[in-house]
């Protein structure tokens, strides 16, 4: 090994080790290719493994799920050549080389990635080294006879990997692999894995719950057992024997001592307490959620001494069931097919005992050992009718889904067809020697995406959260022009997904089956299903984002230092914020100061140790103060320390809250606008946040507006103004309201982007009237895009934003807008007919308009589809009665109608006028008290004969909000994500857009369905199209945006997603 590995050092960035006698999956090379970037970027990773030490058939289902572990399996692994050269080879032992990787001194808390479904397993012809490696992790499993009351000896499986399926898909898309980075995976494992996070797990209150099948539904579950030390304690052995897992220590495939298993239709966590779990919390990245979760774990702790007396639970396939044949001579393949399910050989090992037989057959003749691949079974035609038999020689007679016997009824383990799509018998896999020939080289590897959260998979049935999914991929890999078409791809479901993926069926068979089932649903249902099966889309226009020229050294950053304000409680938020800042071009750690309020060492460790930025703690923190007063005092301290001590020469300062992440062009954005703040005394700030930046109102990344309110979160401020006016008068409470007050603004304004450059990741707000649920619901609709196409957006000629020039253009645009007499006259944002020709860019008037962007000219579109469109590029204005929108109550009617952020006063007004993106143009909402109306005669602005009363907004149905040139369409097949559906049409999906079609009213008005029902899941809204589902033909919408925020990557095997597809940038 040492000599072989040494030869790989010269040319490669990483080394992938496969051995003779190892069976590998067809996608093994593609699997490693997708994960290689994570290994390079994450210093907390030691290796990538292709083997799951606990990947027994009942505990696996999804080929897209990848996890982290503290264990090194030693089979099918990849390591960086730098690690190999500098650390491994100099210490290479003379024997038991695997132990070098497992040694705590060498490992230094580094972890490995491994798949839920193995990509490599040993075979009976394995080399001695491989056998030793495998045996050290799975030496002769002893599977107790499940449910047996006869006291018969356990069945010994000499090769445990006979029961470990391999992935058989030729190309599985793992989704957004950045979710596997150290911090992102911790949050995913703990909480963000929708429906399956450890924090969401329900306690197993008694060990008998496994015997009485109490845990057959619901979940996720956590089994907490009492143990002292996961390395030395024997408690794990009792737990492992109950579940048929390797009993040796340290625990295989554990993540900080916690084992995660797929259990029936959900997940089961095996957790040791008190010391094991507490040490896990300390050893990991000290996240607040552990402190929240762990105390509850002690409420229901099971003593390991009870485990040996418990019979082993029936290990039912994930997303499957145990089904008995109705007639003798019927194979399990046929039994499962009749139930619209599938049989895989590995599942049969786990029902091969008396327990499952006696639970499913009336074994009047008893239960006894036998031999044969058609067993377990019950004899019905012989001298021993009613006798149940199980196979005691699985080496000589391996179980077979196709085996039959004329005298017996088989007992079968069946999976849902989609759960079996990615796995099958090991014998069907290729070997390591022909892996390279079996797997085509990828033409493009998926880029890191913005959110770690995932392709959320949630249930198709009402109010039953199921499989998770956090990979939130914004952009997928595509084959280069002229390259051969790639093989079929399994869509990611962990992404965050843990649900099994669905396989597409033939179009003809699908249409025939849909027709039969739709006939039962009704003629209208049939018509809708056929019409929406694959809506044709207009061709996507060319990309519209103008990019800045390459800066050479990449130092396109503002001169302003960055002051990041945080609390001592929000270490994980601070980490996410700093990570996004560090990933943005122009980041300079030496120009960042983190100011911490409150006690706690986590924020300090994150700032100084992980990101090596400066840190200071407020010494005068008063924990007894109300939040508003405490926040105001801390901001005063932070600004004072930064300007007087840390950055005394700064002319501007960039103030940012720690509960946000930033866009790739964050520094470039401020770099282009900073000169305006230094030269225009009428500017109070330049903000990266737009409180009206909801998905349908965002289209142009280069567009900016002047507004009369202070927009916090991330703002560039003048140091001179702070020292001269603001800090001397700093309030004792509500500092942001202080900056919004007209008396303090004195007519000054802020610049805000149409497209926000920051996105909230927290649940707190300084507006104490707002709950965390309100904040999360608001943020679900806020536009944010961290794709690489936006890493250098050219904002154009920023002189258009100077006070006089902006005002002139704004008046011209307002006068040119078409006057609407009342709310009923507002044009729809979508059309179900042919879309129109777009002749100007999304900025409406282009760079010539007030605040218009630098984007290029749009292209014509054509074709049928439900498409966001205006008959021509027209802006509109609607005048409403209000003597003061900030205080007379008129604004509440408008914000509800347009689904704007619920704030006490309007945000984003320019002299009493709200400007919103409306299709290809804009909508101007003009208050009767707007000072701009005094300039109407000079500007040629025609005034209405009567003003719309604010109450009329409540009397008219709210509009369907769809982004400009977006198409609302149905996914082509069940289990397809919106990311994939849009990408295939040359378009893209943005999470925020989905929140605005997530209602029965919207789904019906789009004519996708005639029946609609509330449900839960990030894969919704969706249309149930699985024929055997009781909800067939029904639309489901997501009623729990807090737990299941909209995700373009979500998918479910029962449904076709309803997607909003935008043109690409």
């Amino acid at each position: 090994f040492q000599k072989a590995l040494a030869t790989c050092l010269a040319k490669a960035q990483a080394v992938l080790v496969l051995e003779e006698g190892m069976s590998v999956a067809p996608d093994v090379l593609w699997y490693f290719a997708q994960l290689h970037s994570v290994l390079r970027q994450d210093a907390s990773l030691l290796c990538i493994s292709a083997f799951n030490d606990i990947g027994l058939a009942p505990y696996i289902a999804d080929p897209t799920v990848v996890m982290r572990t503290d264990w090194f399996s030693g089979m099918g692994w990849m390591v960086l050549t730098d690690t190999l050269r500098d650390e491994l080879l100099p210490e290479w032992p003379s024997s038991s080389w695997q132990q070098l990787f497992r040694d705590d001194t060498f490992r230094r808390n580094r972890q490995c990635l491994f798949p839920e479904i193995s990509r490599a397993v040993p075979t009976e012809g394995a080399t001695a080294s491989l056998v030793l490696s495998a045996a050290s992790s799975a030496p002769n499993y002893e599977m107790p006879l499940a449910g047996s009351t006869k006291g018969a000896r356990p069945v010994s499986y000499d090769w445990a990997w006979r029961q470990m399926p391999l992935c058989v898909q030729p190309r599985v898309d793992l989704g957004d692999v950045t979710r596997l980075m150290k911090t992102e995976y911790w949050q995913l494992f703990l909480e963000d894995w929708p429906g399956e996070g450890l924090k969401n797990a329900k306690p197993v209150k008694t060990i008998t719950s496994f015997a009485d099948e109490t845990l057959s539904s619901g979940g996720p579950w956590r089994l907490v057992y009492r143990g002292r030390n996961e390395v030395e304690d024997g408690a794990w052995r009792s737990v492992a024997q109950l579940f048929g897992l390797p009993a040796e220590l340290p625990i295989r495939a554990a993540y900080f001592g916690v084992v995660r298993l797929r259990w029936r239709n959900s997940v089961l966590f095996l957790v040791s307490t008190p010391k094991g779990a507490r040490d896990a919390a300390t050893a990991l990245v000290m996240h607040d959620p552990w402190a929240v979760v762990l105390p509850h774990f002690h409420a229901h702790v099971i003593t390991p001494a009870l485990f040996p007396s418990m019979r082993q639970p029936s290990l039912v396939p994930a997303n499957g069931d145990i089904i008995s044949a109705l007639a003798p001579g019927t194979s399990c393949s046929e039994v499962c097919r009749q139930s619209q399910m599938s049989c895989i050989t590995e599942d049969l090992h786990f029902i091969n005992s008396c327990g499952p037989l006696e639970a499913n057959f009336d074994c009047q003749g008893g239960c006894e050992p036998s031999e044969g691949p058609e067993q377990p079974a019950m004899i019905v035609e012989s001298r021993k009718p009613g006798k149940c038999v199980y196979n005691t020689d699985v080496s000589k007679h391996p179980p077979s889904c196709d085996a039959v016997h004329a005298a017996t009824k088989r007992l079968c383990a069946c999976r849902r067809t989609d759960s079996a799509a990615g796995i099958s018998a090991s014998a069907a896999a290729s070997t390591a020697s022909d892996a390279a020939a079996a797997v085509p080289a990828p033409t493009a590897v998926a880029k890191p995406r913005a959110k770690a959260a995932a392709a959320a998979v949630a249930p198709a049935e009402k109010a039953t959260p199921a499989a998770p999914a956090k990979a939130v991929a914004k952009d997928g890999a595509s084959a280069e022009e002229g390259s051969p078409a790639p093989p079929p791809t399994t869509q990611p479901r962990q992404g965050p997904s843990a649900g099994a993926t669905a396989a597409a069926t033939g179009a003809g068979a699908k249409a025939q089956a849909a027709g039969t089932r739709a006939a039962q649903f009704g003629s209208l249902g049939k018509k809708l299903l056929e019409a929406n099966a694959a809506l044709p889309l207009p061709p996507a226009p060319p990309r519209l984002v103008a990019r800045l020229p390459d800066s050479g050294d990449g130092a396109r950053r503002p001169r302003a230092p960055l002051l990041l304000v945080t609390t001592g409680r929000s270490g994980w938020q601070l980490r996410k914020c700093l990570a996004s800042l560090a990933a943005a071009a122009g980041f300079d750690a030496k120009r960042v100061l983190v100011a911490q309020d409150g006690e706690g060492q986590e924020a300090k460790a994150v700032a100084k140790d992980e990101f090596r930025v400066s840190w200071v703690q407020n010494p005068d923190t008063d924990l007894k103060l109300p939040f508003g007063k405490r926040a105001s005092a801390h901001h005063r301290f932070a600004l004072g320390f930064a300007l007087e001590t840390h950055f005394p020469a700064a002319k501007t300062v960039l103030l940012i809250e720690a509960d946000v992440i930033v866009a790739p062009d964050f520094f470039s954005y401020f770099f282009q606008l900073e000169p305006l703040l230094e030269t225009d005394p009428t500017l109070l700030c330049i903000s990266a946040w737009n409180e009206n930046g909801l998905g349908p109102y965002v289209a142009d990344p280069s567009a900016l507006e002047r507004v009369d309110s202070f927009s916090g979160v991330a703002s560039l401020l003048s140091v001179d103004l702070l020292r001269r006016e603001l800090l001397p008068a700093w309030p004792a409470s509500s500092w942001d309201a202080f900056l919004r007050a007209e008396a303090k603004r004195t007519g000054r304004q802020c610049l805000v982007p149409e497209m926000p450059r920051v996105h909230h990741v927290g649940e707190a707000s300084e507006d104490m009237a707002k709950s965390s649920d309100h904040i999360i619901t608001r943020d679900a609709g806020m536009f944010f895009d961290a794709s690489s196409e936006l890493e250098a957006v050219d904002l154009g000629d920023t002189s258009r934003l100077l006070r006089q020039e902006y005002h002139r253009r704004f008046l011209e645009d307002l006068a040119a807008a078409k006057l609407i007499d009342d709310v009923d006259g507002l044009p729809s944002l979508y059309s179900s007919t042919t879309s129109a020709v777009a002749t100007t860019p999304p900025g409406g008037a282009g760079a010539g308009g007030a605040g218009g962007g630098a984007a290029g000219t749009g292209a014509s579109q054509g074709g049928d589809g439900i498409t966001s469109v205006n008959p021509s590029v027209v802006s509109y204005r609607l005048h409403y009665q209000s003597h003061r929108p900030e205080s007379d109550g008129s604004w509440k009617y408008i914000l509800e109608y347009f689904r704007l952020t619920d704030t006490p006063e309007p945000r984003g007004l320019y002299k009493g006028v709200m400007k919103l993106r409306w299709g290809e143009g804009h909508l101007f909402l003009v208050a009767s008290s707007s000072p701009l109306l005094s300039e109407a005669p000079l500007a040629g602005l025609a005034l209405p004969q009567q003003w719309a009363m604010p109450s009329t907004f409540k009397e008219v149905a709210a509009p369907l909000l769809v982004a400009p040139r977006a198409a609302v369409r149905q996914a082509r097949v069940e289990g397809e994500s919106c990311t994939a559906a849009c990408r295939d049409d040359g378009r893209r999906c943005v999470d925020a857009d989905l929140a605005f079609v997530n209602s029965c009213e919207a789904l019906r008005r789009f004519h996708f369905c005639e029946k609609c029902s509330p449900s839960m899941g990030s894969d919704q809204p969706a249309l149930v199209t699985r024929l055997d589902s009781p909800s067939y033909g029904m639309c489901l919408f997501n009623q729990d945006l807090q737990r299941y925020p909209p995700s373009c990557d979500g998918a479910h095997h029962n449904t076709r997603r309803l997607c909003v597809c935008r043109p690409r940038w």
Side-chain angles (χ1 to χ4, degrees):
F1 250 91
Q2 187 176 20
K3 291 181 180 179
L5 291 173
T7 62
C8 301
L9 294 178
K11 301 179 180 179
Q13 294 178 341
V15 175
L16 169 59
V17 179
L18 300 173
E19 296 184 53
E20 184 181 2
M22 178 186 294
S23 287
V24 298
D27 77 328
V28 63
L29 299 184
W30 178 233
Y31 165 82
F32 281 105
Q34 293 177 83
L35 297 176
H36 173 236
S37 62
V38 183
L39 183 63
R40 292 186 62 194
Q41 297 173 30
D42 190 345
S44 70
L45 283 177
L46 175 62
C47 74
I48 303 170
S49 176
F51 179 64
N52 180 357
D53 290 78
I54 57 173
L56 303 175
Y59 303 137
I60 65 169
D62 191 345
T64 69
V65 172
V66 180
M67 294 172 280
R68 293 178 70 116
T69 179
D70 302 302
W71 172 254
F72 173 73
S73 70
M75 284 186 285
W77 49 279
M78 174 183 282
V79 68
L80 294 177
T81 51
D82 289 345
T83 305
L84 185 63
R85 178 183 58 249
D86 301 337
E87 299 183 50
L88 287 170
L89 291 181
E91 301 294 331
W92 201 264
S94 57
S95 64
S96 301
W97 61 269
Q98 300 88 354
Q99 298 306 321
L100 176 62
F101 288 81
R102 297 166 186 162
D103 181 76
D104 290 338
T105 304
F106 167 76
R107 197 168 58 80
R108 300 197 307 277
N109 293 323
R110 288 177 292 185
Q111 298 174 317
C112 291
L113 299 178
F114 73 101
E116 179 174 305
I117 302 179
S118 294
R119 266 46 175 204
V121 296
T123 64
E124 295 178 60
T127 63
S129 172
L130 191 59
V131 171
L132 287 172
S133 175
S136 66
S137 63
N140 216 20
Y141 284 76
E142 289 194 346
M143 302 296 297
L145 300 181
S148 175
T149 58
K150 310 297 182 183
R153 67 177 180 85
V155 179
S156 177
Y157 295 129
D158 295 333
W159 304 107
W161 41 88
R162 287 179 181 272
Q163 307 152 24
M164 295 183 174
L166 276 175
C167 176
V168 296
Q169 290 290 336
R171 191 182 178 103
V172 175
D173 184 354
L174 301 180
D176 181 8
V177 294
T178 59
R179 71 185 185 273
L180 302 171
M181 301 287 282
K182 179 180 179 180
T183 304
E184 286 76 5
Y185 184 81
W186 165 253
Q187 189 64 22
L188 180 70
F189 187 88
L190 177 70
E191 188 170 13
D192 288 350
W193 214 317
E196 295 185 5
L198 178 58
K199 185 176 179 181
N200 303 317
K202 304 172 186 176
V204 177
K205 299 180 180 180
T206 172
I207 193 65
T208 58
S209 300
F210 292 98
D212 59 21
E213 299 299 309
T214 303
L215 310 183
S216 295
S217 59
W221 303 98
R222 67 172 187 265
L223 171 61
V224 183
Y225 60 94
R226 194 173 305 283
R228 296 185 303 276
N229 185 299
E230 69 173 52
V231 177
E232 302 172 358
D233 188 23
W236 170 249
R237 181 175 296 275
S238 298
V239 177
Q241 288 177 348
L242 180 65
F243 293 98
L245 300 173
E248 293 71 32
L249 295 171
I251 302 172
R252 288 7 177 200
Y255 178 64
F256 290 100
V258 178
V259 173
R260 181 185 185 277
L261 299 173
R262 191 163 297 282
W263 187 258
R264 310 296 169 85
N265 296 320
S266 187
V267 162
L268 171 66
F269 294 95
L270 304 178
V271 187
S272 173
T273 189
K275 185 175 180 182
R278 290 181 188 270
D279 284 351
T282 303
L284 199 54
V285 203
M286 299 174 289
H287 281 66
D288 289 324
W290 262 123
V292 176
V293 174
L294 283 178
H296 302 298
F297 279 28
H298 301 279
H300 302 283
V301 180
I302 298 176
T303 303
L306 299 175
F307 285 63
S309 62
M310 171 67 187
R311 71 178 184 179
Q312 189 183 42
S314 297
L315 298 181
V316 179
N319 302 315
D321 205 351
I322 299 175
I323 302 176
S324 56
L326 297 178
T330 306
S331 70
C332 282
S333 294
E334 179 62 20
V335 168
C336 296
R337 188 192 65 78
Q338 291 172 357
S339 299
Q340 296 186 328
M341 304 176 84
S342 298
C343 174
I344 67 168
T345 299
E346 290 86 351
D347 283 333
L348 300 178
H349 286 274
F350 298 90
I351 59 171
N352 184 40
S353 60
C354 290
L357 284 166
E358 293 169 343
N360 290 274
F361 287 123
D362 184 11
C363 302
Q364 297 179 353
C367 179
E368 63 182 34
S370 182
E371 293 182 4
E374 79 287 353
Q375 299 169 11
M378 183 179 73
I379 301 172
V380 294
E381 297 179 7
S382 74
R383 292 174 297 176
K384 299 181 178 181
K387 181 177 289 294
C388 293
V389 293
Y390 60 91
N391 182 9
T392 57
D393 194 347
V394 293
S395 296
K396 184 177 180 181
H397 303 288
S400 168
C401 291
D402 298 318
V404 297
H405 194 289
T408 65
K409 291 183 180 180
R410 291 204 62 177
L411 184 64
C412 306
C414 302
R415 292 175 179 253
R416 286 201 315 248
T417 300
D418 55 318
S419 293
I423 53 180
S424 102
S426 304
S430 58
T431 62
S433 59
D434 59 22
V439 183
T443 56
V445 177
K447 301 176 182 178
R449 280 88 169 198
K451 288 184 181 178
V457 176
E461 308 306 330
K462 294 192 291 183
T464 310
K470 212 121 245 221
V472 178
K474 295 291 182 190
D475 210 348
S478 58
E480 295 177 356
E481 184 176 359
S483 63
T489 302
T490 298
Q491 296 299 329
R493 309 293 297 281
Q494 173 188 13
S497 161
T501 52
T505 56
K510 197 71 173 178
Q512 181 180 0
T516 302
R517 182 65 179 86
Q520 305 171 21
F521 176 56
S523 58
L524 177 59
K526 179 178 180 180
K527 179 180 179 181
L528 293 175
L529 285 173
E530 292 175 349
N532 292 304
L535 290 173
L537 298 178
R543 301 185 181 186
L544 300 174
V545 175
R547 294 175 61 90
L548 288 170
D550 189 359
S551 63
D553 60 358
R556 192 181 288 118
R557 68 176 71 91
R559 291 185 295 275
L562 191 149
L563 174 61
L564 205 158
V565 181
T566 185
T567 69
R569 305 185 309 274
S570 54
W572 71 270
Q573 293 177 357
L574 176 61
R575 184 179 290 105
K576 282 191 172 184
C577 181
L578 283 170
S580 66
L581 287 166
F587 175 77
D588 183 358
K590 289 181 287 189
R591 297 191 55 79
V592 177
L593 171 65
V594 173
Q596 176 181 331
D597 175 38
E599 300 176 353
Q601 294 298 308
E602 183 176 6
K604 178 180 179 181
V606 170
K608 300 187 69 173
D609 299 338
E610 295 186 30
F611 292 92
R612 301 189 182 282
V613 299
S614 299
W615 169 90
V616 64
Q617 184 175 9
N618 186 348
D620 299 323
T621 297
D622 186 351
L623 300 178
K624 297 179 181 179
L625 286 176
F627 179 73
K629 290 186 176 181
R630 180 176 165 184
S632 188
H634 180 53
H635 278 77
R636 175 64 180 86
F637 161 78
L639 286 167
F641 181 86
L643 304 185
E644 304 304 328
T645 304
H646 203 72
F647 302 117
K651 293 184 177 181
T652 54
V653 62
L654 182 50
L655 179 66
I656 180 172
E657 305 295 322
D659 62 343
V660 299
I661 54 176
V662 306
D665 74 330
F666 180 79
F667 292 107
S668 171
Y669 168 84
F670 283 108
F671 167 77
Q672 296 176 75
L673 297 176
E674 186 178 35
L676 293 178
L677 187 65
E678 297 175 351
T679 58
D680 187 348
T682 66
L683 282 178
L684 173 66
C685 75
I686 297 172
S687 177
W689 173 244
N690 179 359
E691 288 171 291
N692 299 320
L694 302 172
Y697 301 138
V698 172
D700 186 355
S702 62
L704 297 110
E705 306 296 341
R706 289 181 74 115
V707 299
D708 294 320
S709 58
F710 170 74
S711 183
V713 183
S715 297
L716 188 69
L717 297 165
S718 165
V719 169
D720 178 66
L721 180 63
L722 283 166
R723 286 175 174 159
R724 179 168 36 87
E725 293 185 35
L726 300 182
L727 289 180
W730 201 259
S733 180
S734 304
W735 68 273
D736 54 338
F738 163 76
L739 292 177
R740 291 190 183 100
E742 173 60 30
K744 188 51 58 181
R745 281 197 306 107
T746 60
R748 286 176 291 224
Q749 298 169 319
C750 289
L751 292 179
V752 300
E754 178 178 304
M755 179 178 295
R757 262 51 176 200
V758 292
H759 188 73
H760 278 280
V761 294
E763 301 177 7
S765 171
E766 291 193 26
D767 185 351
M768 298 306 292
K770 304 304 178 188
S771 66
S772 61
D773 286 353
H774 174 89
I775 300 300
I776 295 172
T777 302
R778 176 203 68 184
D779 292 341
M782 281 292 178
F783 187 96
F784 185 73
D785 193 340
S787 60
S788 58
E789 289 122 321
L790 299 178
E791 63 186 8
V793 175
D794 186 351
L795 301 180
D797 182 3
T798 57
S799 65
R800 72 184 188 275
L801 301 167
L802 292 171
R803 184 173 191 171
Q804 292 185 347
E805 181 64 13
Y806 181 88
H807 186 76
R808 180 185 68 80
R809 297 190 183 202
F810 192 93
L811 273 177
E812 289 179 355
D813 293 344
L814 184 63
K818 182 178 179 180
L819 179 64
I820 300 174
D821 292 330
D822 53 42
V823 184
D824 285 330
L826 195 63
S828 172
L829 283 178
Y830 78 97
S831 169
S832 58
T833 58
T834 304
S835 59
V837 175
T839 57
T840 65
T857 302
S860 63
Q861 306 175 64
D864 295 329
I866 298 177
T867 308
S868 171
V869 64
N870 270 318
S872 59
V873 181
V874 178
S875 290
Y876 302 88
R877 57 185 167 95
L878 175 62
H879 296 250
Y880 66 96
Q881 182 68 42
S882 174
H883 67 274
R884 183 174 174 80
E886 294 84 354
S887 59
D888 64 7
S890 60
W891 185 248
K892 68 177 182 179
Y893 296 105
I894 296 174
L895 69 86
E896 289 176 0
Y897 184 80
F898 292 102
R899 295 185 64 174
L900 299 173
T901 302
D902 185 5
T903 54
E905 72 285 336
R907 305 280 172 84
L909 297 184
Y910 177 75
K911 297 184 180 299
V913 178
M914 171 67 74
K915 179 182 178 182
L916 296 173
R917 170 80 53 189
W918 199 260
E920 300 291 343
H922 291 94
L923 171 64
F924 297 90
L925 299 172
V926 187
S928 58
S929 57
S930 170
L932 287 179
L933 298 182
S934 63
E935 304 179 51
L938 294 177
L941 183 65
L943 298 180
Q945 295 182 355
Q946 62 181 10
W947 309 92
M949 299 303 296
S951 59
T952 59
F953 287 91
K954 192 174 182 179
E955 299 168 359
V956 179
L960 288 178
L961 299 178
V962 185
R965 286 181 289 185
V968 183
R969 50 108 13 98
Q970 183 188 134
R972 296 167 183 78
V973 295
E974 293 86 353
E976 182 180 42
S977 69
C978 285
T979 298
C982 296
R983 182 176 61 229
D984 290 346
D985 292 309
R987 292 172 173 259
R988 62 194 173 89
C989 176
V990 175
D991 293 340
D993 288 336
L994 301 175
F996 296 90
V997 296
N998 182 48
S999 67
C1000 267
E1001 181 185 11
L1003 297 172
R1004 287 170 180 157
R1005 288 170 69 178
F1006 280 126
H1007 306 295
F1008 279 116
C1009 49
E1010 62 180 2
K1011 294 184 179 181
C1012 190
S1013 176
S1015 182
M1016 291 186 290
S1018 296
D1019 60 300
Q1020 297 163 11
L1023 176 64
V1024 181
T1025 54
R1026 182 164 176 143
L1027 302 180
D1028 58 353
S1029 172
S1031 301
Y1032 174 83
M1034 182 176 291
C1035 279
L1036 305 177
F1037 68 93
N1038 181 9
Q1039 65 178 350
D1040 192 350
L1041 297 180
Q1042 286 82 27
R1043 292 181 61 192
Y1044 303 102
S1047 170
C1048 291
D1049 293 307
H1052 196 281
H1053 64 277
N1054 277 354
T1055 66
R1056 294 186 190 179
R1057 292 209 59 182
L1058 303 180
C1059 308
V1060 181
C1061 301
R1062 290 174 173 249
R1064 298 186 65 83
W1065 295 122

